[in-house]
Amino acid sequence: PSKALRAMSQALSTDVLIVGGGIAGLWLHARLRQLGYASLLVENASLGGGQSVKSQGIIHGGAKYALHGALTGASEAIADMPRRWREALSGSGELDLRGVRVLSEAHYLWSPGTLAGNLTSFFASKAVRGRVDQVKGEHLPPALQHPKFKGKVYRLAELVLDVPSLIARLAELAGDSLLAAEQIEPLREQQALVGLRVDGREIRAQRIVLSAGGGNAELLKQLGISQPTQQLRPLHMVLAKGPALKPLYAHCLGGGPKPRVTVTTHPAADGQWVWYLGGDLAEAEGVARDEAEQIKAAQKEMADLLPWVDQAATQWATLRVDRAEPAQSGLVRPDNAFLAEQERLLVGWPTKLALAPDFADRVLAALKRDAIQPGQHAALPELPRPAVATPVWDALLP
């Protein structure tokens, strides 16, 4: 029989059906499987290929929010994330993430000249007390170890991960319960959503979770559901690759409440280092610039901040990223994972990489509250498996 006919004859059932194989969906999937739930994850492109693979890999502990001088209650939730991730990375946490590459054990704050005034309240704030130490000399990040460097550098208790290795590990934890899909439609009985029809294959589930990032809006439209609404926060990131670049994982402080530029460094397939630049550079003004203007702005910024780095042989590229989040007034960024519920459907956004465990917690709390227990399901047939996303630096800077 044809592939389509074979798929149609395979009606499947599972406890939780997840749509969207970014870090949030994959993390949730692994947690559910570990707790004994049958869980199936559907992805229509590549695993981690949306926002996840475009992330800088920083496991935030909320420190940068304290730059405002005040810490919101919500950032208290994020403060525990570095600990949870570290435990998972050591194999003693809620998931076994041993083998995921840690690029830096710390993220740094770097003030290029005199210490900005807003830092005084920053160091007094609860988020950073006891978690920030000034570093000097050989303890400085390699890119800042230069006689001409005059700034101040503080070490934050936040770590930076190699996201491609994280996606690969979470895909491994998913076993054979991943499904590559092209077409997803609602499966209803007496008007009630009971599952999804995926490429003609009926999949019933006790709960359906949409964790498809920017894809959630389209999925909700297909399901004829208007809430929750999604906002996209556009960023225009910059990538630089060259022999003169040395590792740097830091928020460079400007005068304002946001980092002037946030730099992370990633290994390219050819062994060279790639600087991935976000922060204020990638926001409003950066979004308005075209690629050539944005590269020029980044070159000027890095020449001002690190004049000793020879840019002659550096290759540059830019990447537009839409951060998908629940709609907030004035495009404010949420500080927590978000989850909305409607009967069997749960829709959410982790809002940032570090909050994937928080997103899973919210789904698990909803299952517990509704007394959803692992059920009996037939073993899954062999399913077409989605590919793992290619790192953006290898795709853009060959």
Side-chain angles (χ1 to χ4, degrees):
S2 76
K3 221 155 126 185
L5 273 172
R6 213 165 49 232
M8 284 168 82
S9 64
Q10 287 178 347
L12 306 177
S13 75
T14 189
D15 295 320
V16 182
L17 178 56
I18 301 168
V19 185
I23 300 294
L26 287 165
W27 184 290
L28 169 64
H29 188 44
R31 287 284 315 269
L32 287 164
R33 279 169 60 87
Q34 202 184 35
L35 294 168
Y37 286 94
S39 169
L40 178 61
L41 184 146
V42 173
E43 169 56 53
N44 76 341
S46 57
L47 296 169
Q51 293 171 74
S52 294
V53 79
K54 296 167 190 161
S55 142
Q56 289 188 287
I58 304 163
I59 303 301
H60 284 293
K64 75 171 179 179
Y65 301 125
L67 290 174
H68 298 268
L71 191 61
T72 60
S75 343
E76 294 285 341
I78 201 175
D80 197 33
M81 289 300 142
R83 176 191 67 82
R84 286 177 66 176
W85 281 86
R86 281 181 203 279
E87 285 176 3
L89 291 159
S90 71
S92 65
E94 56 217 70
L95 293 180
D96 182 355
L97 297 186
R98 282 176 299 185
V100 172
R101 182 171 178 183
V102 176
L103 295 174
S104 181
E105 284 292 342
H107 196 67
Y108 295 84
L109 271 182
W110 139 55
S111 163
T114 55
L115 205 56
N118 62 350
L119 276 190
T120 330
S121 56
F122 171 74
F123 288 118
S125 88
K126 209 158 88 184
V128 293
R129 209 174 300 143
R131 290 193 237 171
V132 176
D133 306 296
Q134 190 173 351
V135 292
K136 295 177 177 171
E138 80 250 28
H139 299 297
L140 287 171
L144 303 179
Q145 291 184 22
H146 193 276
K148 285 191 182 148
F149 177 68
K150 294 285 180 279
K152 286 193 167 71
V153 178
Y154 299 85
R155 188 177 196 274
L156 299 174
E158 302 183 342
L159 62 163
V160 188
L161 302 184
D162 173 51
V163 175
S165 72
L166 172 62
I167 296 166
R169 175 63 185 145
L170 289 170
E172 212 175 283
L173 292 176
D176 295 327
S177 56
L178 297 173
L179 173 60
E182 280 170 36
Q183 221 180 354
I184 297 171
E185 299 155 301
L187 179 63
R188 291 198 169 90
E189 268 168 20
Q190 281 119 24
Q191 265 82 59
L193 188 69
V194 294
L196 298 175
R197 193 174 277 111
V198 178
D199 295 339
R201 185 189 267 120
E202 292 192 353
I203 307 175
R204 288 158 194 279
Q206 301 194 63
R207 289 292 178 271
I208 299 153
V209 180
L210 303 190
S211 60
N216 277 354
E218 186 54 38
L219 285 161
L220 287 167
K221 202 167 118 189
Q222 283 171 2
L223 296 172
I225 293 167
S226 59
Q227 290 294 330
T229 53
Q230 167 178 293
Q231 72 184 23
L232 295 177
R233 197 157 44 83
L235 299 171
H236 196 180
M237 307 288 286
V238 181
L239 297 119
K241 177 166 96 168
L245 307 188
K246 289 180 179 169
L248 180 58
Y249 301 91
H251 296 304
C252 175
L253 301 167
K258 282 183 185 161
R260 175 171 164 183
V261 61
T262 295
V263 187
T264 51
T265 313
H266 306 266
D270 63 5
Q272 291 194 66
W273 288 112
V274 174
W275 277 353
Y276 194 24
L277 312 176
D280 216 22
L281 171 74
E283 298 200 16
E285 285 176 29
V287 171
R289 296 184 194 115
D290 66 22
E291 183 175 25
E293 293 166 339
Q294 181 66 337
I295 287 173
K296 201 174 277 181
Q299 287 169 330
K300 183 183 182 306
E301 189 73 315
M302 297 321 273
D304 287 351
L305 294 169
L306 307 170
W308 54 88
V309 176
D310 178 9
Q311 292 187 11
T314 304
Q315 289 171 268
W316 297 81
T318 69
L319 175 67
R320 291 190 183 270
V321 181
D322 280 324
R323 290 283 292 273
E325 302 162 339
Q328 313 273 310
S329 54
L331 280 185
V332 210
R333 64 187 78 178
D335 289 351
N336 276 336
F338 170 91
L339 191 69
E341 302 173 53
Q342 198 167 322
E343 293 166 14
R344 288 192 187 203
L345 187 69
L346 296 102
V347 186
W349 293 268
T351 74
K352 51 178 59 63
L353 173 72
L355 286 162
D358 184 43
F359 177 73
D361 287 353
R362 287 163 194 267
V363 175
L364 293 170
L367 297 181
K368 190 174 172 183
R369 185 203 61 217
D370 294 346
I372 302 288
Q373 300 290 337
Q376 294 295 313
H377 305 277
L380 292 172
E382 198 177 316
L383 299 170
R385 189 180 175 93
V388 172
T390 306
V392 284
W393 29 92
D394 294 329
L396 290 170
L397 294 168

